Amino acid sequence: MRSVQEIGFGAAQVELTSRCNLRCLTCLYHSHELDWKPQDLSPAAFDRLLNCGSRISSMHLQGWGESLLLGNMPELVRKAGESGAKVSLSSNGTIMSLDLARSLISEGISSMAFSLASANRDEQDRLRGAGVFDSFCRSVQTFAQARGKSAHPPILINYLLTRNNMSDLSRAQKLCSELGADEVRGTHMVHIVSDIQESMVSYNSENSYLASRFRARFSYILGYPKVVLPSMTDILAPVCQKNPVSNFFIGSDGSVSPCVYLNPPIRNNVPGSHSVAEKRLSRLVFGNLNKNSLDDIWQNPEYQRFREMFHARIRAYDDMIVPVRPDFDGAEQLRKSIRRIREVFSNDLQAPEPCNNCPCLWGH
């Protein structure tokens, strides 16, 4: 067992509250409201997390709920920063005032993100609720006003990609530029549990989005905010971008989990993705900060076994990819390596069961 001083963590995503003032069609909350557990992270659990702050690279204060529903967010940002971690925050864009924005900035927030589902008012309000588009615009403008001419903290827009809004990507750039945002980051829906969500999935449709991506890049050259897009097609990867090897998620009940998608705040089992809806997965939790320290939970043998499955995939991937030479013979060797990696990942080195059917594992 490693000593506490030797354990270094990656990024922590912290769900300060699972309460939310919206019921977005794209969210699990909309379809499973009766099973939802609205609650706030206890001060004791938060303090236990902060005890490890100097060994955590960053903390993102947002989960399944709306963090700005908490009246003491600036104080929580300050405490997290004082613990030694870099602190970021995201919001659905319905709650922001000039005083709140100034407080968050003065307390050291490293970046502020707002969520957008469409640059079209009618579509945004259809997915998120009446009036949400206008409140989003006001929130971003208010934060930009509080920031002034400074480029810090950066204002990021998390743009939820759907089949209906990809063509509006350059329009989203223009809107975000007018509001004072710095970057647009495309995101995919991951926990797909309804026909409505299934109909909006945007990945595995690369060809239909080439024109939109080209326009977005051209708009960037003209001075509009940069657009960062996730993969639109399946890619071969030993571990997803959430990287549960070093990163982790803290649920609002204090539970410690490898990933936000493996630990929704619901009372019953977690519905699988729509393609495996009959297979209900249990929440994957390895401990609770209301009872134990993060170091003790991290060294839970079951948690270690979970992470080791990904470590083994990473080692195998590196062993098979690294020898490939950058020449014509290497191209054939690369094709053979990819086939071999696919075989190994599908048989001997499958990802942990809860992750196997997750779009994140395929680069989305």
Side-chain angles (χ1 to χ4, degrees):
M1 180 175 292
R2 296 166 64 188
S3 67
V4 167
Q5 289 75 18
E6 294 176 334
I7 299 177
F9 304 100
Q13 183 172 356
V14 187
E15 183 178 68
L16 296 174
T17 182
S18 59
R19 295 182 290 119
C20 190
N21 56 338
L22 299 182
R23 300 294 182 272
C24 303
L25 290 178
T26 55
C27 181
L28 190 64
Y29 203 161
H30 175 268
S31 54
H32 292 78
E33 184 171 0
L34 295 179
D35 289 328
W36 206 259
K37 297 172 66 177
Q39 58 194 337
D40 299 341
L41 185 68
S42 72
F46 191 57
D47 286 344
R48 278 206 171 105
L49 174 65
L50 298 187
N51 287 339
C52 301
S54 62
R55 292 181 282 123
I56 296 174
S57 63
S58 63
M59 291 188 194
H60 186 63
L61 305 181
Q62 185 267 339
W64 291 88
E66 170 52 46
S67 296
L68 292 183
L69 287 173
L70 297 173
N72 62 337
M73 269 305 302
E75 177 187 354
L76 299 177
V77 167
R78 176 180 56 77
K79 287 184 175 181
E82 288 175 347
S83 74
K86 182 180 178 181
V87 187
S88 59
L89 178 65
S90 59
S91 167
N92 60 28
T94 59
I95 303 170
M96 184 58 68
S97 68
L98 197 55
D99 285 344
L100 175 58
R102 286 170 173 163
S103 294
L104 291 171
I105 293 170
S106 66
E107 297 296 2
I109 197 80
S110 65
S111 68
M112 182 71 212
F114 297 92
S115 177
L116 179 66
S118 177
N120 179 285
R121 175 182 280 102
D122 291 341
E123 179 68 1
Q124 169 81 348
D125 287 359
R126 181 182 75 85
L127 296 175
R128 301 260 165 111
V132 172
F133 179 86
D134 289 337
S135 65
F136 164 85
C137 292
R138 287 193 300 270
S139 291
V140 178
Q141 285 179 315
T142 298
F143 197 88
Q145 179 184 350
R147 186 181 67 170
K149 296 181 180 180
S150 172
H152 185 83
I155 301 174
L156 313 175
I157 304 301
N158 292 326
Y159 189 65
L160 181 65
L161 298 171
T162 71
R163 290 177 184 173
N164 298 329
N165 71 15
M166 189 65 184
S167 61
D168 284 339
L169 195 53
S170 57
R171 183 177 177 179
Q173 280 178 286
K174 185 175 185 295
L175 171 66
C176 294
S177 177
E178 292 171 349
L179 298 177
D182 303 297
E183 185 174 291
V184 180
R185 294 182 176 179
T187 63
H188 288 302
M189 283 187 294
V190 172
H191 231 309
I192 302 160
V193 296
S194 69
D195 291 336
I196 294 175
Q197 294 172 358
E198 182 75 20
S199 70
M200 290 188 285
V201 169
S202 59
Y203 46 80
N204 290 332
S205 304
E206 175 75 16
N207 291 337
S208 63
Y209 294 148
L210 288 177
S212 297
R213 297 179 74 172
F214 174 80
R215 286 195 298 269
R217 289 172 181 171
F218 184 73
S219 296
Y220 175 60
I221 295 174
L222 296 178
Y224 288 105
K226 180 181 179 181
V227 173
V228 179
L229 292 177
S231 174
M232 293 293 174
T233 56
D234 291 350
I235 61 175
L236 187 66
V239 65
C240 71
Q241 290 187 349
K242 286 292 186 182
N243 191 14
V245 170
S246 58
N247 302 339
F248 59 94
F249 172 69
I250 306 297
S252 56
D253 60 353
S255 55
V256 179
S257 182
C259 168
V260 60
Y261 299 117
L262 297 177
N263 191 15
I266 60 176
R267 293 183 177 85
N268 299 314
N269 286 347
V270 182
S273 65
H274 190 61
S275 60
V276 287
E278 309 81 21
K279 187 174 183 180
R280 299 177 67 85
L281 305 174
S282 299
R283 293 171 62 207
L284 186 63
V285 171
F286 290 107
N288 195 296
L289 288 178
N290 287 305
K291 300 177 181 178
N292 300 105
S293 70
L294 180 59
D295 292 302
D296 287 343
I297 296 170
W298 193 255
Q299 296 184 94
N300 176 337
E302 291 185 7
Y303 201 175
Q304 289 180 320
R305 281 192 291 271
F306 176 92
R307 298 195 302 274
E308 176 54 33
M309 294 177 75
F310 281 114
H311 275 299
R313 287 167 61 92
I314 294 171
R315 289 193 296 269
Y317 184 91
D318 290 343
D319 288 344
M320 287 183 270
I321 288 294
V322 170
V324 175
R325 300 189 306 274
D327 54 27
F328 288 110
D329 290 336
E332 177 60 27
Q333 186 180 0
L334 178 60
R335 284 192 289 271
K336 291 180 180 179
S337 294
I338 291 174
R339 287 197 297 271
R340 185 182 171 198
I341 292 171
R342 289 189 187 281
E343 290 178 4
V344 171
F345 283 3
S346 298
N347 297 296
D348 299 333
L349 292 178
Q350 290 189 26
E353 178 63 26
C355 300
N356 256 332
N357 295 302
C358 180
C360 287
L361 193 61
W362 295 97
H364 304 308

